[in-house]
């Protein structure tokens, strides 16, 4: 009996699957938007031969929020609130890239104390993001205790954020010109306590995973990406560093005072899932170094710029100065205006290069904001990395890319 | 007869609240707070929710955590339809209660346009304690359900 | 890396197609007309070593013409330098050759621009919407597309909006 021909009409994807799939020779499986291992709402169309993935077609857009269009309808400070919610594991980093872009566009200076606090919080956010990565990716590989341990450490970092800004995740703490308000009294003690505690905990995670034969079996030689393939596909961040290219924007194009701190950029040579794991674990250690240096050298001084055209005056000044009242009124009703022109500002987020393209038109609302997000770029590499692997390996690969769908879909 | 049915109601409601299994439906940022609520610091297993079932056929509570975009809405409805009775829905966070910060073309303004919601938990994202408060409120609501509604 | 040498080389190669040079705020770029974009990118990649396409986006200047401007940003890992290109594209019959064969990661970026702005890329291997549902009509990031917001429900209009809102049934 001849092989049955299927009448397939799935989303107009016929041109992407091979003819064997359309004849029914290989299996087309939908790894749908709601799935425990896809780290968010990602849909993958898999072409399977038995258990081996021949091709995987990612379908994103299930979390598309229209943030870029919505930011055009709000003024610059109101739009800052929406940046938190883009890559929801890197809230402070998103605030930072947007504020740095505004500061570059209007030419606003940031005092050194604000820069140091920004660095401390960004690196703590990097550690928190890597902890969630470790928790979820090892949960996918069935190492469930790491999930509980990592979230326990993350709670300490979230307590520090809550102490500074009142909110655990969507802090909006970094504002154009500096930070929202000065760090409270217990901040330094809390961060030092975390610095004392965390190296032991990293050793604990490593003792569970790094030389574990099950973990090594599931991650070595899985999802290999060479350096040329990575650069061709626009892959940056820990994934690129795991292939051997030591590209870190904190060293290459330092921002917010990163040039003052001494830290290393960890790389590996294999480009497989295990190497990405090693690179991210080492990055957590280097982040601790940066936080320690920044905290030791925390300069005194103002925590936000005093350029009253962009930064609202403190309330104490309103009683005595007429200009302060006028600036306050102008800034809280209309908002500050940015000149015509555009800037492109890349920073290093925990996932890769996060860049903000900001275009102003002389008014108080951004004319065009575009975020070049690392997860969007990295998902293009998924089909190449997962060719000829088992479905179970696909799960490990998705975990190692460290995608956040809010980042990919905006 | 009334005594029997009342005790039966109480027994059934008590057993439903004690082992309500949530479906893993974390979409965006609220999902991270839901994961924090599940983990060691704010433990959800003390309320009977030790595991989160990814399959809708095995779950009875759908915690919609995060913003529902227009592309995701039919998927959400299909999963809700696949859940067997009795089922409850908690809308966790501002985005699924009312659209949240995002009042635009891409986000459904409130998940109650798609599925009937029992409890709304406010916050952006709500603290894990807020989610637990929402779950306890749902438990209290379930405890007042009557036998006549079960069919 | 001497970015001025790169500019001179591209100007000599492309001649009339280079409509201007943009320098400002530490960034360097060229204003280029769309039909020579492939030659320019090929040259940037092979001769000048810009091996990473970092960003590809578009801006809508409606109602001014040319309506769209495509923004390309390249990075050279060897020389640690950024370079930009801006392509003015007219609003009617907005078509640009695809960069997919030179920089494979342009694939999804171009799909996003097609989705959000409606600019078509000739020769693209997979021209379909990426972020919005397949059957969506319209291109949201265009300036003449409305934001699509819903009227806010305050206490004075609560009941009126409540009646209009499509609540779900079991």
């Amino acid at each position: 009996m001849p092989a049955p021909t299927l009448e397939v009409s799935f989303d107009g994807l016929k041109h992407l699957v091979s003819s064997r799939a359309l004849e029914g020779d290989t299996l087309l499986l939908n790894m749908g938007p709601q799935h425990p291992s896809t780290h968010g709402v990602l849909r993958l169309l898999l072409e399977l031969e038995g258990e081996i993935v021949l091709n995987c077609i990612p379908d994103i857009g299930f979390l598309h929020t229209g943030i870029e269009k919505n930011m055009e309808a709000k003024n610059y400070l109101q739009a800052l609130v929406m940046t938190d919610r883009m890559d929801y594991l890197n809230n402070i980093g998103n605030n930072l890239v947007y504020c740095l872009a505004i500061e570059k566009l209007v030419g606003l200076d940031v005092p050194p104390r604000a820069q140091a606090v920004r660095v401390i919080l960004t690196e703590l956010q990097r550690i928190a993001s890597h902890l969630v990565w470790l928790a979820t990716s090892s949960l996918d590989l069935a190492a469930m205790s790491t999930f509980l341990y990592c979230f326990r450490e993350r709670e300490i970092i979230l307590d520090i954020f809550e102490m500074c800004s009142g909110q655990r995740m969507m802090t909006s703490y970094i504002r154009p010109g500096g930070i929202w308000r000065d760090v409270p009294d217990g901040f330094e003690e809390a961060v030092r306590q975390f610095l004392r505690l965390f190296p032991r905990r990293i050793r604990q995670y490593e003792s569970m995973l790094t030389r574990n034969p099950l973990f090594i079996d599931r991650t070595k030689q899985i999802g290999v990406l060479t350096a040329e393939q990575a650069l061709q596909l626009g892959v940056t961040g820990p994934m690129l560093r795991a292939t051997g290219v030591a590209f870190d924007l904190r060293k290459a194009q330092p921002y917010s005072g990163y040039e003052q701190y001494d830290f290393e950029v960890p790389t590996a040579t294999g480009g497989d899932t295990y190497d990405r794991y090693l690179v991210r674990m080492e990055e957590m250690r280097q982040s601790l170094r940066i936080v320690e240096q920044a905290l030791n050298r925390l300069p005194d001084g103002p925590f936000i710029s005093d350029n009253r055209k962009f930064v609202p005056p403190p309330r104490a000044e309103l009683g005595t100065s007429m200009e302060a009242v006028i600036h306050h009124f102008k800034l809280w009703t209309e908002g500050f205006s940015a000149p015509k022109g555009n800037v492109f500002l890349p920073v290093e987020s925990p996932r890769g290069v996060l860049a903000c393209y900001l275009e102003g038109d002389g008014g108080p609302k951004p004319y065009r904001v575009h975020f070049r997000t690392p997860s969007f770029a990295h998902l293009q590499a998924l089909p190449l990395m997962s060719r000829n692997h088992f479905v179970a390996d696909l799960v490990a690969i998705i975990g190692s890319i460290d995608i956040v769908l809010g980042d990919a879909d905006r | 007869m009334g005594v029997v049915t009342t005790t039966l109601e109480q027994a059934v409601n008590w057993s439903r609240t004690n082992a309500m299994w949530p479906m893993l439906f974390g979409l965006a940022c609220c999902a991270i707070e839901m994961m924090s609520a599940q983990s060691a610091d704010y433990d959800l297993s003390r309320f009977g929710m030790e595991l989160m079932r990814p399959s809708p056929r095995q779950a009875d509570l759908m915690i919609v955590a995060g913003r529902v975009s227009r592309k995701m809405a039919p998927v959400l409805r299909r999963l809700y339809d696949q859940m067997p009775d009795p089922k409850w829905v908690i809308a966790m966070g501002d985005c699924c209660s009312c659209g949240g910060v995002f009042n635009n073309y891409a986000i459904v303004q409130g998940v109650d346009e798609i599925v009937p919601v029992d409890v709304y938990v406010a916050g952006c994202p709500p603290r894990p304690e807020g989610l637990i408060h929402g779950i306890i409120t749902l438990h209290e609501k379930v405890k007042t359900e009557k036998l006549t509604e079960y069919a | 890396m001497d970015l001025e040498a790169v500019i001179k080389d591209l100007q000599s190669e492309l001649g009339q197609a280079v409509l201007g040079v943009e320098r400002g705020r530490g960034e360097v770029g060229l204003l280029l007309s769309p039909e020579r974009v492939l030659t320019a990118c090929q040259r940037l990649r092979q001769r000048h070593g810009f091996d990473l396409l970092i960003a590809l986006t578009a801006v809508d200047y409606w109602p001014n013409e040319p309506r769209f401007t495509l923004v390309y940003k390249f990075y050279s890992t060897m020389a640690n330098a950024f370079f930009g290109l801006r392509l003015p594209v007219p609003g009617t019959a907005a078509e640009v050759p695809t960069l997919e064969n030179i920089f494979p990661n342009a694939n999804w970026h171009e799909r996003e621009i097609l989705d959000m702005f409606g600019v078509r890329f000739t020769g693209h291997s997979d021209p379909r919407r990426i972020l919005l549902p397949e059957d969506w009509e319209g291109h949201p990031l265009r300036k003449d597309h409305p934001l699509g917001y819903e009227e806010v429900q305050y206490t004075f209009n609560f009941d009126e909006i409540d009646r209009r809102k499509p609540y779900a049934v079991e």
Side-chain angles (χ1 to χ4, degrees):
Chain A
M1 195 169 134
T5 51
L6 302 174
E7 184 53 57
V8 246
S9 61
F10 43 92
D11 305 313
L13 288 170
K14 273 194 195 148
H15 59 285
L16 291 173
V17 294
S18 71
S19 52
R20 287 177 69 197
L22 295 174
E23 285 162 17
D25 204 12
T26 54
L27 177 67
L28 280 172
L29 191 65
N30 182 37
M31 199 159 152
Q34 192 258 1
H35 192 278
S37 308
T38 53
H39 296 282
V41 280
L42 169 67
R43 174 174 170 230
L44 293 173
L45 201 64
L46 300 174
E47 189 183 331
L48 298 176
E49 167 133 38
E51 274 253 354
I52 301 190
V53 175
L54 294 178
N55 195 9
C56 112
I57 303 169
D59 187 13
I60 62 174
F62 289 94
L63 203 57
H64 177 65
T65 323
I67 286 185
E68 296 179 357
K69 178 119 189 142
N70 215 340
M71 282 168 91
E72 291 173 17
K74 296 183 186 269
N75 70 31
Y76 283 97
L77 192 59
Q78 289 171 339
L80 174 73
V81 164
M82 312 198 95
T83 57
D84 274 313
R85 288 147 176 87
M86 232 169 41
D87 176 357
Y88 41 82
L89 291 177
N90 182 29
N91 317 93
I92 299 215
N94 293 353
N95 282 342
L96 182 68
V97 72
Y98 180 66
C99 287
L100 286 174
I102 292 180
E103 286 153 15
K104 190 173 176 188
L105 183 64
V106 304
L108 191 59
D109 59 312
V110 181
R113 184 177 173 88
Q115 284 187 350
V117 173
R118 281 179 175 184
V119 165
I120 294 175
L121 290 176
T122 311
E123 292 304 314
L124 284 177
Q125 183 71 260
R126 191 182 308 268
I127 296 176
S129 169
H130 283 329
L131 282 173
V132 176
W133 158 76
L134 186 61
T136 49
S137 63
S138 50
L139 185 67
D140 286 340
L141 299 175
M144 291 189 224
S145 35
T146 341
F147 177 78
L148 296 172
Y149 293 162
C150 291
F151 270 83
R152 176 190 60 188
E153 262 69 74
R154 193 181 133 87
E155 291 293 325
I156 306 176
I157 299 181
L158 292 180
D159 281 340
I160 295 177
F161 289 161
E162 191 178 2
M163 184 194 301
C164 292
S165 68
Q167 253 270 32
R168 281 155 58 103
M169 279 169 68
M170 315 300 176
T171 54
S172 297
Y173 188 61
I174 296 185
R175 305 273 167 110
I179 50 184
W180 170 51
R181 64 171 192 185
D182 208 355
V183 289
D185 290 326
F187 177 75
E188 187 174 332
E189 181 51 45
V191 179
R192 283 208 196 280
Q193 208 172 4
F194 179 73
L195 289 173
R196 275 194 297 270
L197 168 83
F198 200 57
R200 259 200 323 263
R201 296 287 160 86
I202 302 185
R203 279 200 292 275
Q204 189 180 30
Y205 309 141
E206 288 192 327
S207 71
M208 283 196 291
L209 293 173
T210 310
R211 279 198 291 269
N212 186 339
L214 297 170
F215 187 74
I216 293 181
D217 249 347
R218 286 210 66 178
T219 54
K220 270 235 183 243
Q221 300 301 323
I222 303 290
V224 178
L225 203 61
T226 64
E228 294 97 62
Q229 285 171 338
L231 284 174
Q232 279 189 342
L233 289 166
V235 167
T236 51
M239 284 181 72
L240 183 63
R241 292 197 276 277
T243 65
V245 180
F247 169 46
D248 187 333
L249 272 171
R250 295 174 290 171
K251 288 271 193 204
Q253 309 259 338
Y255 49 91
S256 192
Y258 268 105
E259 59 271 3
Q260 308 160 26
Y261 307 117
D262 179 36
F263 63 98
E264 281 160 29
V265 173
T267 55
T269 46
D272 60 8
T273 305
Y274 189 67
D275 287 323
R276 287 178 218 130
Y277 159 80
L278 290 176
V279 166
R280 287 195 179 103
M281 296 302 279
E282 188 56 37
E283 270 186 17
M284 285 205 270
R285 286 206 174 89
Q286 297 301 320
S287 288
L288 279 181
R289 268 178 82 181
I290 301 177
V291 173
E292 184 156 9
Q293 288 168 50
L295 198 61
N296 287 339
R297 292 189 228 165
L298 194 62
D300 291 320
F303 56 88
I304 199 165
S305 163
D306 53 5
N307 188 340
R308 293 279 166 252
K309 296 274 174 280
F310 301 101
V311 173
R315 288 203 81 94
E317 247 178 59
L318 293 181
T320 50
S321 156
M322 190 60 201
E323 288 85 22
V325 174
I326 299 174
H327 283 133
H328 173 103
F329 178 76
K330 199 85 203 313
L331 285 170
W332 290 120
T333 52
E334 190 189 49
F336 59 83
S337 307
K340 256 191 192 295
N342 55 70
V343 289
F344 178 79
L345 196 114
V347 302
E348 182 81 23
S349 93
R351 273 152 206 91
V353 168
L354 172 68
C356 175
Y357 172 78
L358 183 63
E359 178 151 346
D361 64 343
K365 302 187 180 171
Y367 190 74
R368 169 88 172 109
V369 184
H370 172 73
F371 289 93
R372 182 266 181 208
T373 50
S375 303
F376 186 79
H378 293 178
L379 275 175
Q380 289 183 73
L382 184 62
L384 182 66
M385 291 202 298
S386 61
R387 205 144 280 167
N388 296 328
H389 282 119
F390 292 117
V391 177
D393 295 332
L394 179 67
V395 165
I397 295 172
I398 297 177
S400 79
I401 308 181
D402 194 10
I403 46 170
V404 165
L405 265 299
D407 205 25
D409 294 343
R410 282 161 271 125
Chain B
M1 192 62 206
V3 173
V4 172
T5 49
T6 321
T7 333
L8 182 62
E9 262 169 29
Q10 280 177 350
V12 169
N13 287 339
W14 171 84
S15 61
R16 278 180 181 171
T17 57
N18 268 13
M20 208 182 260
W21 285 357
M23 184 166 79
L24 202 71
F25 207 73
L27 297 167
C29 351
C30 285
I32 311 292
E33 289 292 42
M34 189 166 70
M35 289 201 283
S36 289
Q38 179 77 19
S39 61
D41 270 38
Y42 308 95
D43 195 11
L44 269 186
S45 352
R46 26 184 188 150
F47 303 104
M49 303 186 177
E50 170 75 37
L51 1 94
M52 294 213 162
R53 285 314 207 183
S55 162
R57 307 276 183 202
Q58 298 167 5
D60 25 31
L61 170 66
M62 183 156 90
I63 304 182
V64 186
R67 44 197 190 244
V68 182
S69 73
R70 297 226 178 258
K71 196 168 176 180
M72 189 67 192
V75 178
L76 180 71
R77 181 72 211 188
R78 187 192 278 192
L79 286 168
Y80 178 77
D81 290 333
Q82 283 177 347
M83 281 167 69
D85 266 341
K87 53 191 174 190
W88 298 278
V89 176
I90 291 184
M92 174 183 177
D94 285 340
C95 289
C96 36
S97 306
C98 61
V101 200
F102 306 109
N103 193 356
N104 56 21
Y105 62 90
I107 294 287
V108 174
Q109 301 295 310
V111 85
D112 45 16
E113 287 185 14
I114 304 173
V115 293
V117 174
D118 291 298
V119 175
Y120 300 85
V121 182
C124 190
R127 287 190 64 116
E129 288 119 339
L131 177 63
I132 293 176
H133 179 70
I135 290 176
I136 308 259
T137 313
L138 181 67
H139 284 183
E140 282 166 20
K141 181 177 176 183
V142 170
K143 286 195 176 116
T144 61
E145 276 182 4
K146 299 258 166 278
L147 200 61
T148 45
E149 291 166 6
Y150 287 162
Chain C
M1 170 185 278
D2 188 9
L3 291 170
E4 298 298 323
V6 175
I7 295 177
K8 278 201 182 38
D9 178 59
L10 286 175
Q11 274 174 327
S12 64
E13 169 75 18
L14 301 166
Q16 287 286 55
V18 175
L19 305 169
V21 181
E22 309 208 330
R23 291 183 192 90
R25 295 185 181 92
E27 294 171 24
V28 174
L30 282 187
L31 196 62
L32 194 65
S33 100
E35 59 289 337
R36 301 301 302 274
V37 65
L38 286 180
T39 333
C41 294
Q42 193 82 282
R43 221 164 160 86
L44 279 172
R45 190 190 183 115
Q46 275 155 4
R47 185 177 280 223
H48 300 290
F50 284 94
D51 45 0
L52 189 57
L53 172 68
I54 277 231
L56 210 190
T57 180
V59 191
D60 181 17
Y61 289 109
W62 184 77
N64 301 328
E65 276 293 328
R67 180 173 185 176
F68 300 111
T69 297
L70 291 187
V71 178
Y72 294 73
K73 290 280 179 196
F74 302 97
Y75 179 75
S76 162
T77 45
M78 290 283 109
N80 187 13
F82 285 94
F83 195 79
L85 283 181
R86 286 173 74 92
L87 264 58
V89 177
T92 48
E95 287 197 7
V96 179
T98 180
L99 221 56
E100 227 188 343
N101 303 316
I102 312 174
F103 289 100
N105 67 327
N107 191 329
W108 274 25
H109 290 292
E110 290 175 352
R111 277 177 70 188
E112 189 194 346
I113 296 181
L114 168 70
D115 196 3
M116 293 282 133
F117 290 93
V119 176
R120 274 193 303 279
F121 288 87
T122 50
H124 197 268
S125 62
D126 188 16
R128 53 192 175 97
R129 287 190 179 265
I130 188 169
L131 291 176
L132 290 169
E134 297 288 323
D135 49 358
W136 191 276
E137 279 170 23
H139 299 281
L141 274 173
R142 291 187 170 192
K143 293 284 174 185
D144 48 354
H145 188 281
L147 182 57
Y149 60 82
E150 186 194 51
E151 198 181 335
V152 184
Q153 212 177 14
Y154 295 102
T155 38
F156 63 88
N157 59 0
F158 191 92
D159 295 319
E160 182 196 319
I161 295 186
D162 207 33
R163 259 175 270 136
R164 272 192 276 140
K165 212 166 148 65
Y167 287 115
V169 289
E170 180 74 29

